[in-house]
Amino acid sequence: VGGDFYEILPQQDGSTLFCIGDVTDHGLYSGIVMLMTQSVVRATADEQKTDLPATLNRINSVLYRNIQIRLANRRNLTLSLLHYKNGTFRITGQHEFILLLRKGSDKVEKIDTIDLGMYIGFVEDISEFVDEITLSVNPGDIMMLYTDGITETECPYNTFYGLERLMETFKANKELKSQEIVENVIKDVEQFRGNQKMLDDISLVVIKRV
């Protein structure tokens, strides 16, 4: 039962909304919160159109009431929303780093989301904590979204896979198609883990502008 959340929602105006998040803890309740998030994100994205901070705040308030009041549970989640149109991403919400590899470059950029929001479902109103940034991408640029189940995967010697190895694997596969990059990264994570028990969900989204 997974607590990871990701979604790719084409919009009527030709834009696309990408979402990625991670519910705290594990087990049935985390899975329930993830499913709630999926439903609320779909409904709220249609209601709020392209006002990304308002969308995030609305998602938060609905989930807060459902999790804290209806379920009487303390779970919450990280959640980033990325709205893409005509070569530009607008990004809001706190999650892991967003990784960006420009065409012709060997340097992976780390886009920090720490100041773009706070944990969803923790308090009822997060509007004062929500911010938005804009990021332009050109043909051939590649973006990677992930959950900490990847970077915190442990090998039999109790070493984490880590962000640096993820970025190196990302670079090594940059010439491939998006799906092939995903498959090769997951394969590398599994080889690193070996026979160690899998302790967390793993999610990975790769976006390449063609």
Side-chain angles (χ1 to χ4, degrees), residues 108-119:
V108 179
E109 299 176 36
K110 297 187 294 183
I111 313 301
D112 199 346
T113 63
I114 191 72
D115 294 327
L116 300 182
M118 67 174 295
Y119 277 75

Side-chain angles (χ1 to χ4, degrees), residues 161 165 169 184-193:
Y161 187 82
R165 178 160 178 161
T169 309
N184 284 358
V185 170
I186 296 299
K187 185 183 299 183
D188 191 62
V189 171
E190 290 177 345
Q191 289 175 346
F192 176 84
R193 179 167 58 87

Side-chain angles (χ1 to χ4, degrees), residues 35 53 66 68 77:
L35 290 172
N66 275 279
Q68 305 284 358
L77 66 145

Side-chain angles (χ1 to χ4, degrees), residues 92-176:
T92 191
Q94 184 186 114
H95 184 61
E96 304 295 323
F97 286 108
I98 295 168
L99 303 182
L100 178 64
L101 186 53
R102 302 283 187 182
K103 183 178 180 180
S105 173
D106 280 327
K107 181 181 179 182
V108 179
E109 299 176 36
K110 297 187 294 183
I111 313 301
D112 199 346
T113 63
I114 191 72
D115 294 327
L116 300 182
M118 67 174 295
Y119 277 75
I120 301 297
F122 189 69
V123 296
E124 187 166 9
D125 186 355
I126 62 169
S127 56
E128 66 178 293
F129 304 103
V130 178
D131 202 356
E132 178 183 310
I133 60 172
T134 301
L135 185 67
S136 296
V137 291
N138 299 311
D141 291 350
I142 319 170
M143 182 179 289
M144 179 177 284
L145 314 175
Y146 63 94
T147 57
D148 63 7
I150 290 181
T151 53
E152 294 180 3
T153 291
E154 290 188 51
C155 73
Y157 305 103
N158 299 319
T159 300
F160 288 133
Y161 187 82
L163 184 57
E164 294 300 321
R165 178 160 178 161
L166 176 60
M167 292 192 295
E168 289 300 318
T169 309
F170 184 16
K171 286 194 296 184
N173 291 275
K174 65 181 181 179
E175 300 299 333
L176 302 178

Side-chain angles (χ1 to χ4, degrees), residues 14-85:
S15 63
T16 305
L17 181 66
F18 298 88
C19 318
I20 189 161
D22 189 0
V23 182
T24 55
D25 211 347
H26 307 283
L28 180 60
Y29 273 103
S30 294
I32 291 173
V33 171
M34 185 276 292
L35 290 172
M36 285 181 178
T37 303
Q38 185 179 48
S39 298
V40 173
V41 164
R42 282 178 173 269
T44 307
D46 290 338
E47 291 173 3
Q48 300 291 341
K49 304 303 179 186
T50 58
D51 189 337
L52 221 53
T55 299
L56 188 68
N57 197 49
R58 176 62 177 162
I59 291 168
N60 173 78
S61 62
V62 173
L63 287 174
Y64 174 84
R65 291 193 294 271
N66 275 279
I67 300 168
Q68 305 284 358
I69 298 173
R70 293 184 65 189
L71 289 181
N73 193 273
R74 296 296 296 174
R75 279 172 174 77
N76 46 69
L77 66 145
T78 60
L79 180 64
S80 284
L81 308 179
L82 302 89
H83 182 266
Y84 173 81
K85 188 175 184 180

